[in-house]
Structures are given as structure tokens and as C-alpha cells.
Amino acid sequence: MTFMSNDASQAPADGAAGSDKIRCDACPVMCYIRPGATGACDRYANRDGELIRVDPHVLLERTLSHGGKIVPFQRVGDWDGKIVGQDKVFVTAIGAGTTYPDYKPAPFIVSSEIDGVDMVTVVTEGIFSYCGVKVKIDTDRYLGPEAATVRAQGEAVGLVITSEYGSQMLSLGGVHHLTGGTKKEGRVTCDVLMDLSNGKAVELAIDGGATVVVQAGKPPIVNGEPEERMRVGCGSATIGMFAKQWLGKVDEVVVVDDHITGVLSEHQAGKLLDIPETGIKMKGRRSTPGRYFQVAEPGTGWGGTNITDPLAILGPFDPRNARPGLRLLMVSTTGEHYAYFELDEALHPVEKPLPEALVLSVERIRENCEPALCTVLFMGGAGGSLRSGVTDNPVRLTRSVKDALTRVTSGGAPVYVWPGGGITFMVDVTEVPQGAFGYVPTPALVAPIEFTMRLSDYAALGGHMENVRPVTSLKDKAELLRRAPAVEAEPAAKTKTAAQP
Ligand code: SF4
């Protein structure tokens, strides 16, 4: 069966719930859905009068937690009932559905025996109006000032936050962009979060800065230029790392960097190697010997500065220490930019081809730079209502998680749970099977979340024991056991065409 999109079904205001329509109560939108049509989120459909979850419910093999490949539940043929019941299977929340409003137990509360211990996994696709993504973009290139607004399709979807070593950081989404602005802002924010979480590329524009194409696990594209390398360190660190390799081959090295530009002869590493003064004069603010801040404005040129001519950051050489023929290497923290100079009789640097003896050291800098990638962490809070789908006393679930009695996962992927109140977690979206994230047009994101604990601990925290079912019982729910695409060595993914009788 294929389902058609059913625009008319989206609005509860559509009101006239004809006899052939059914109402979806899986989120606050409460769509009326015609037979053969899907609701506003495309996740639920009316199949012959029955409300079904369109996407397949994804089960994972437990090799995932040991770094193994995720295996689609079923690759070919009809399900033969053999896999469910083996203790290698992990029940994810992907495709499980939701139970809005949350006084209802989570869609699946599944028991299994693992290494002789009775365990239970509670799965639900949480609806997150309070959620966002943290984006780490490995690049020296300047993306924009801290706190600048990040836009998609012209709408504000987040902001630039503090940069970290070799990376620029963005914080996108959050309840204010999802719900506090215009309808379009909320919709675009929701789309951006879902696309990024599902591993798709998204173009973002930063006020007063660059445009950047972000895709989890892929190099960023800054102003149309794919980034290749992540810096080996700041300019000072680079001096420290490679000073010995320059000894005797060159008289002076400047590692150009927006944050800390390093100067070999003045640097502690140069002092320890007895490198004589060269009379070099740097522009910028001297921090400590051989370390300079603010040699130029931030930009997309050398070392994350706005310069294209490295000599622009040098003053005249001091004739008391400089001499004609003095050899100077200037290089960026990724080795992407470099130039070699020798001083002429007037002590002016004259560019010359890079000597063979220095080629290796520039290559060594490049070699030590890791590939530039974008990292996307989905971040959400499992609020009290979601927790009540797990237990009739929600705070006990929080305590159980903090006490490490309950393990939280998202689509089977390990999560980081923040200390402090609530269950606020982050997950690397590349570890979650593809297509695991959805949306509802409230707007909010839908993300899988699973809670796994001992059955006895589940009973103790007030779990919905009457809804616990053995993992083998899933075979009786044919609609749950649909085939994920048979992609070898790829994470199991959902498919929109998986609805089968
Ligand atoms: S938008 Fe909400 S109510 Fe409509 S089909 Fe999706 S989950 Fe159901």
C-alpha cells in the first residue's frame, strides 16, 4: 500500500471528522486522516480504518555497542520469526511511535534476558519542542562573530557560540526559535534540526560572516570552498611541535594564526634551541615571548585571518639583528598557506621558492592536521511528561538515570546525559541509524529514546509493569517487523515504503 499526503488531514480545525477518517492522537496536532492518507508529519497513516505507524520499527543487533556494524532487522524475504528472541537484538524507539498525551505508557516496554539478567527496555519517539543541535565545524576560517545570528532561508535558527580548539561552534534550535518567533521561523528551524540530525546537508548564513554548508560527518564548505584540514594547534603550539625540525634549515619561522601567531626565534622553543634573534618585528599584541594575538582581523585567509599577503603582519626588520640573506618561513597552522623569503641588502623580504629542506616540514604540518569535519550533536530534554510514559512517578526515572541504574540511548546510540536536573542528553547523530529523526508540525522534533534497566529496577521505580511484554511477542505485531533497507555495512534506515500488510 502506498499513502498519499493528506493536506486536509493536517488541521484539527478541519473538524469534520467524517466517518471514514480517523483521528491520530500521537501528537497535539491531532490530525484527521482519510483512508489511504498520511497525517501532517507523514509518520502515521490510515490503513483501512486502522491508524498505523508508517515507518518500520527498527531493531538493532547488539554488536552496535561493541563498535560493530548495525544490521538491518531483515534483509530479504518474509520474516521467519528467528531473530526476535535472540538476545543480540536491541529494541530501538525508531518507528515505535509516541503515546501523546503522556499519561499513557510508552509504545513498547519490552523485556528480555541479557546474560542471565531480566532486563526491560522502554522505547518511545519523544516529541521535543525543547531541543536543538550543537554543531562543531572544524575550520580555521572565520565564520562570524560570537553571538551572531545563524540563518537558514533568511530565518534566524540559532547563533554562533564560543569557538573551540580548531573548530567553530554553533548552537541551533531551542525553544525560542521553534516556538517564540514567526510560524515560518519555527518551521524552518524544525526543518534545519531534522535535516542536520538525519545527516543531510544544510546551508547556513551567519550575520556579518560566512555561509557554510554543514553536514554531519562531512567537511564543511565555507563560502563555497570545501575545508580540508583541521589545524594542528595554534601558532605557538605549532612552533613547539616543529621547532627542532626547522633547526639549521631556516633562520626564522612565523606560524600565522588568528588566535596565537608564533615566532620561532622569540618562542621558548627557539630559546631552548639557541636560535639567535632575527630582528623580526611583528604587528599585533605580544602576549608572551614568541606569541602574538590580533596580528590581523579574523577572516578566511591565512590561519583564519583576513590576510592574503603574510608580509602584511610584519614591520621592518631591526638592522641590529637582521642581516641580508636571512631565511624566513611563513606558514599557517594547517600548512595550507606557506611562503619562503630571504632578506635582501635593504633587509626587505624577497619571496623565493620553498627550499627542498623545508618542504618536508610544511608537509609534516599538513600531515598532522586531521580531516576537517562537521559534527552534529542532537540535544534534547526528556521532560516529565515523556518520563511518565515510563513510570507513574517520573522523577524516579531521573534518579535511576543519575544513579546509573538506567541506561539512556537514542536509536540505540550511546548518549551523554548532562549532570543536574532532568534527563538532558546529547547524541552524535552519526551514531543513530539514518532517518531516525522526524517532526510534527507543532513544530517539534521527534527523536528516538530508549531506557534500559533491570526489570526489578523498573518495578521499583513505579514502571508500567502491566505493559511489559517479552521481546518474542513483537513477532505477533506484524506491522512492527518491517524490513529496513538492505544496505550492507550501513546503519539500518527507515523507509517510507515499508508499510506492508
Ligand atoms: S502530525 Fe501528529 S497528529 Fe498528525 S499524524 Fe503526525 S503524529 Fe499524528
Side-chain angles (χ1 to χ4, degrees):
M1 172 182 274
T2 55
F3 293 102
M4 54 188 173
S5 177
N6 182 7
D7 290 340
S9 70
Q10 296 180 14
D14 151 68
S19 57
D20 55 346
K21 291 181 179 177
I22 52 176
R23 193 163 205 187
C24 175
D25 63 355
C27 94
V29 176
M30 305 286 274
C31 297
Y32 286 108
I33 308 176
R34 294 197 308 265
T38 56
C41 64
D42 287 337
R43 296 189 310 125
Y44 286 89
N46 178 342
R47 185 185 63 189
D48 302 331
E50 182 194 12
L51 182 70
I52 61 156
R53 179 75 174 88
V54 172
D55 300 313
H57 184 202
V58 175
L59 306 182
L60 298 179
E61 288 209 327
R62 288 173 61 219
T63 51
L64 175 66
S65 61
H66 303 291
K69 301 280 187 291
I70 300 170
V71 180
F73 170 66
Q74 182 188 6
R75 284 199 174 85
V76 290
D78 295 331
W79 175 73
D80 61 11
K82 280 187 182 157
I83 292 181
V84 169
Q86 291 181 3
D87 64 0
K88 284 197 292 183
V89 173
F90 180 79
V91 182
T92 79
I94 302 169
T98 41
T99 50
Y100 179 87
D102 299 297
Y103 66 85
K104 290 180 277 189
F108 294 105
I109 303 175
V110 181
S111 63
S112 59
E113 189 184 296
I114 299 173
D115 298 334
V117 179
D118 286 332
M119 304 292 289
V120 64
T121 300
V122 182
V123 310
T124 189
E125 291 185 301
I127 300 175
F128 295 91
S129 302
Y130 295 81
C131 71
V133 297
K134 306 294 175 224
V135 182
K136 169 175 170 281
I137 302 170
D138 302 335
T139 181
D140 269 356
R141 287 175 226 280
Y142 181 65
L143 297 186
E146 272 179 24
T149 298
V150 178
R151 295 181 190 276
Q153 300 169 39
E155 297 294 324
V157 298
L159 77 160
V160 178
I161 54 174
T162 50
S163 63
E164 306 296 346
Y165 154 79
S167 309
Q168 313 273 315
M169 311 292 284
L170 309 179
S171 179
L172 307 181
V175 69
H176 292 297
H177 289 299
L178 281 168
T179 69
T182 62
K183 208 168 174 178
K184 187 179 175 203
E185 179 178 331
R187 183 177 54 73
V188 171
T189 301
C190 191
D191 287 349
V192 165
L193 297 183
M194 190 171 86
D195 286 348
L196 286 174
S197 298
N198 280 332
K200 294 184 183 162
V202 172
E203 182 171 281
L204 302 168
I206 295 164
D207 285 3
T211 61
V212 56
V213 176
V214 174
Q215 184 171 12
K218 295 275 164 45
I221 302 172
V222 182
N223 288 341
E225 294 273 326
E227 186 61 282
E228 283 181 26
R229 293 182 181 81
M230 182 179 183
R231 59 157 66 181
V232 65
C234 70
S236 171
T238 309
I239 295 274
M241 277 181 264
F242 300 106
K244 268 193 197 160
Q245 300 180 28
W246 289 317
L247 190 62
K249 298 176 184 150
V250 66
D251 302 304
E252 183 66 281
V253 179
V254 176
V255 182
V256 182
D257 176 28
D258 170 40
H259 305 136
I260 306 173
T261 289
V263 180
L264 176 63
S265 64
E266 297 179 5
H267 194 276
Q268 181 68 2
K271 296 290 178 209
L272 290 170
L273 293 169
D274 291 328
I275 290 177
E277 292 183 36
T278 60
I280 196 166
K281 180 104 176 81
M282 299 294 302
K283 295 177 182 169
R285 182 160 70 81
R286 189 164 178 262
S287 161
T288 52
R291 302 167 77 248
Y292 289 84
F293 300 159
Q294 299 157 6
V295 294
E297 294 297 317
T300 55
W302 277 58
T305 70
N306 63 345
I307 61 164
T308 50
D309 173 12
L311 297 180
I313 63 172
L314 300 188
F317 276 77
D318 184 343
R320 285 174 296 180
N321 292 311
R323 55 176 171 76
L326 190 130
R327 301 163 298 174
L328 166 67
L329 170 67
M330 299 190 77
V331 64
S332 67
T333 44
T334 56
E336 184 184 350
H337 297 97
Y338 61 87
Y340 173 77
F341 305 90
E342 290 180 9
L343 297 192
D344 64 11
E345 293 300 322
L347 302 181
H348 291 145
V350 178
E351 184 161 6
K352 305 231 162 143
L354 187 69
E356 197 60 36
L358 293 178
V359 169
L360 183 67
S361 73
V362 172
E363 282 178 358
R364 185 63 59 84
I365 294 175
R366 287 170 168 238
E367 183 189 339
N368 274 271
C369 295
E370 289 162 59
L373 294 177
C374 298
T375 309
V376 177
L377 298 187
F378 172 82
M379 182 165 170
S385 57
L386 187 152
R387 282 178 255 149
S388 70
V390 181
T391 161
D392 58 17
N393 195 353
V395 74
R396 286 206 189 156
L397 178 64
T398 310
R399 291 180 190 146
S400 179
V401 170
K402 304 288 173 183
D403 291 343
L405 297 175
T406 293
R407 181 166 187 249
V408 186
T409 49
S410 178
V415 306
Y416 174 79
V417 178
W418 282 69
I423 303 174
T424 303
F425 70 96
M426 295 196 300
V427 62
D428 175 355
V429 302
T430 60
E431 296 203 34
V432 180
Q434 287 173 354
F437 294 84
Y439 79 102
V440 291
T442 54
L445 236 68
V446 175
I449 187 164
E450 303 97 21
F451 302 95
T452 302
M453 67 205 90
R454 286 172 185 261
L455 191 59
S456 54
D457 288 333
Y458 188 52
L461 62 78
H464 303 300
M465 294 300 287
E466 66 284 4
N467 294 90
V468 175
R469 60 161 99 170
V471 68
T472 49
S473 74
L474 294 182
K475 69 179 167 43
D476 298 328
K477 285 281 181 185
E479 75 273 17
L480 301 176
L481 303 175
R482 298 194 180 104
R483 185 170 63 192
V487 181
E488 195 66 47
E490 284 289 326
K494 302 190 297 182
T495 171
K496 293 285 183 192
T497 56
Q500 301 163 354

